[in-house]
Amino acid sequence: MNSIENKSFFSRFFPVPEFLTMPAVGVDISDSSIRFLKFNNTSGGRILDKFGEYPIADGVISKGEIQDAGVLSGVLRKFKKEHNIDFVRASLPEEKLYLFETQIPDNALDKDIKSILEFKLEEYVPISPKNAIFDYSIVPNNEDHKGHVDVVVVVYPKQTIEQYTSAFADAGLTVLSFETEAQAIARAVVKEGDDGTYMIVDFGKTKTGLSIVTDGILSFTSTIEINEKSMTEAIMKHLSVSVEDVNRVKDEDGLVKTKNNKELFSILMKIAESLEYYIDKHYKYWKSKFNEKGEHMKPIDKVILCGGNANLAGLPEYLSSSLKLPVERADVWTNAPSFGDSVPEISKADSLSYSASIGLALRDAN
């Protein structure tokens, strides 16, 4: 069972009626924006039907917690009206996620697994079973376990699910499934069926998410306070450029040092060094981690960068040199190759910000 390819959080225990299993729009909600994307399958191949972004005012969502449901529903209502949308597959914030690995009997029936895992919840997460909603994925290659299989369990507070469900419902939108941002991103950037181990770094506008996917299973997530704000402010201050020019400076100059940008280079390098520190910290944690059999986890094969700030010029090269690991920007179309003769309207640079939306939409693209 593969969480990236086949699973959607919240769908196992709350199955969607058959008549609602139709193509939906992938909607990724962050503290600062709503990004959406939808595919269509045509006789000429897969096409990118629609995509876009709606800003969310500061304070409406804070660290994944909805502070003003009315304003959020208003933005979603506008999105629904302008694009004639009814059904969505939506992301849930990493900040509210709990994730752990445990074992269950290999002869456990599907109908009994929920009860077995409920019993284990209090051992692993600070939420009582009655206040939690969870899903699980069975880890591949469990053949040598004697009487047990490993499972990775994803847990959210029931209140978080209810908050987001209510916001969509108030906007007249039907949520077919919820998924963690990291799980959706992995579906977009890790080749379907790939059994490697990858650290995915989502270097975004308000936060940076680090996740590890191994054998197609989301096995670790963390959120760190490195974001676009400090980078944008530094560029605007030292180059006296507009907000619109910031992305051009990042994409063209970034970590490329010249005689005219020494001070800015120094500031951007400090941000890159901070990112490298956290990646290395989590890499070492993973390297020292043991699975339920007492074996070291599979080593990380490479680091994959996505999110708008992944476009910072020179960033993959700097991180690869410092970490002694392959580091590359994501190909968000990895599992959406059949565009036929069409070329996606979204630029390669912009596409890195849509990785979660793409992953959510890919559930309906096959």
Side-chain angles (χ1 to χ4, degrees), residues 14 20 22 49 64 77 86-87 91 113 118 140 151 159 171 192 234 246 249 272 286 294 325 364:
F14 300 87
L20 290 181
M22 55 188 68
D49 181 29
R77 200 174 295 115
D86 292 309
F87 303 101
S91 65
I113 293 177
E118 278 182 345
V151 295
Q159 181 182 8
E192 185 176 349
V246 167
V249 173
W286 180 261
L325 271 174
D364 297 304

Side-chain angles (χ1 to χ4, degrees), residues 199-215:
M199 178 183 288
I200 301 173
V201 180
D202 181 23
F203 193 7
K205 185 174 293 185
T206 60
K207 65 181 180 182
T208 295
L210 279 77
S211 60
I212 297 175
V213 174
T214 183
D215 288 317

Side-chain angles (χ1 to χ4, degrees), residues 102-108 116 120 138-151 292-293:
T102 188
Q103 291 184 326
I104 59 174
D106 61 4
N107 60 354
I116 294 171
K120 290 175 173 281
I138 297 176
V139 178
N141 304 317
N142 280 287
E143 293 83 359
D144 54 345
H145 283 215
K146 296 181 180 179
H148 295 85
V149 293
D150 293 336
V151 295
E292 292 287 332
K293 294 183 290 183

Side-chain angles (χ1 to χ4, degrees), residues 165-186:
T165 300
S166 178
F168 280 101
D170 288 347
L173 292 163
T174 299
V175 181
L176 300 186
S177 62
F178 282 114
E179 235 173 345
T180 69
E181 291 173 274
Q183 193 172 24
I185 290 170

Side-chain angles (χ1 to χ4, degrees), residues 70-124:
V71 172
L72 177 59
S73 292
V75 177
L76 289 168
R77 200 174 295 115
K78 181 181 180 182
F79 154 67
K80 170 183 168 62
K81 181 180 180 180
E82 292 183 352
H83 296 280
N84 191 28
I85 301 299
D86 292 309
F87 303 101
V88 301
R89 299 193 182 275
S91 65
L92 288 170
E94 301 295 302
E95 295 95 327
K96 298 297 179 181
L97 167 68
Y98 297 94
L99 186 148
F100 66 91
E101 185 174 331
T102 188
Q103 291 184 326
I104 59 174
D106 61 4
N107 60 354
L109 300 176
D110 284 346
K111 65 182 181 67
D112 298 324
I113 293 177
K114 182 173 185 284
S115 297
I116 294 171
L117 292 176
E118 278 182 345
F119 185 75
K120 290 175 173 281
L121 281 186
E122 291 186 7
E123 179 182 350
Y124 290 95

Side-chain angles (χ1 to χ4, degrees), residues 1 35 82 101 122 130 154 158 182 196 284 300 324:
M1 192 176 302
R35 286 192 177 93
E82 292 183 352
E101 185 174 331
E122 291 186 7
K130 69 178 182 179
V154 175
K158 183 180 292 184
K284 288 176 179 175
I300 292 171
K324 310 303 180 190

Side-chain angles (χ1 to χ4, degrees), residues 156-343:
Y156 272 96
K158 183 180 292 184
Q159 181 182 8
T160 298
I161 302 291
E162 291 173 345
Q163 280 185 337
Y164 280 84
T165 300
S166 178
F168 280 101
D170 288 347
L173 292 163
T174 299
V175 181
L176 300 186
S177 62
F178 282 114
E179 235 173 345
T180 69
E181 291 173 274
Q183 193 172 24
I185 290 170
R187 183 183 295 110
V189 306
V190 177
K191 186 70 174 177
E192 185 176 349
D194 190 330
D195 62 358
T197 300
Y198 306 104
M199 178 183 288
I200 301 173
V201 180
D202 181 23
F203 193 7
K205 185 174 293 185
T206 60
K207 65 181 180 182
T208 295
L210 279 77
S211 60
I212 297 175
V213 174
T214 183
D215 288 317
I217 300 290
L218 176 65
S219 299
F220 173 84
T221 67
S222 180
T223 302
I224 59 177
E225 296 296 324
I226 299 178
N227 55 51
E228 185 180 57
K229 184 178 179 181
S230 55
M231 191 182 303
T232 298
E233 289 177 348
I235 293 172
M236 292 179 66
K237 176 182 177 181
H238 290 277
L239 295 182
S240 298
V241 298
S242 66
V243 174
E244 291 73 20
D245 287 330
V246 167
N247 286 337
R248 178 189 58 77
V249 173
K250 287 192 297 184
D251 299 353
E252 295 178 6
D253 299 328
L255 300 179
V256 180
K257 187 175 182 179
T258 69
K259 63 179 182 180
N260 298 320
N261 74 341
K262 291 181 181 179
E263 189 173 0
L264 177 61
F265 173 82
S266 177
I267 292 171
L268 296 181
M269 181 56 71
K270 287 180 180 178
I271 296 172
E273 287 173 347
S274 182
L275 181 62
E276 183 247 325
Y277 166 79
Y278 282 106
I279 294 175
D280 186 54
K281 178 181 177 181
H282 289 89
Y283 170 78
K284 288 176 179 175
Y285 161 78
W286 180 261
K287 191 175 180 180
S288 67
K289 193 173 183 290
F290 293 88
N291 61 21
E292 292 287 332
K293 294 183 290 183
E295 301 171 340
H296 279 291
M297 305 300 286
K298 290 174 61 177
I300 292 171
D301 297 308
K302 67 181 174 184
V303 176
I304 301 174
L305 303 177
C306 59
N309 287 323
N311 288 305
L312 184 66
L315 182 62
E317 294 80 5
Y318 165 74
L319 291 175
S320 181
S321 176
S322 300
L323 296 166
K324 310 303 180 190
L325 271 174
V327 179
E328 62 184 42
R329 293 188 181 92
D331 175 4
V332 298
W333 310 116
T334 293
N335 293 311
S338 54
F339 284 108
D341 295 328
S342 68
V343 176

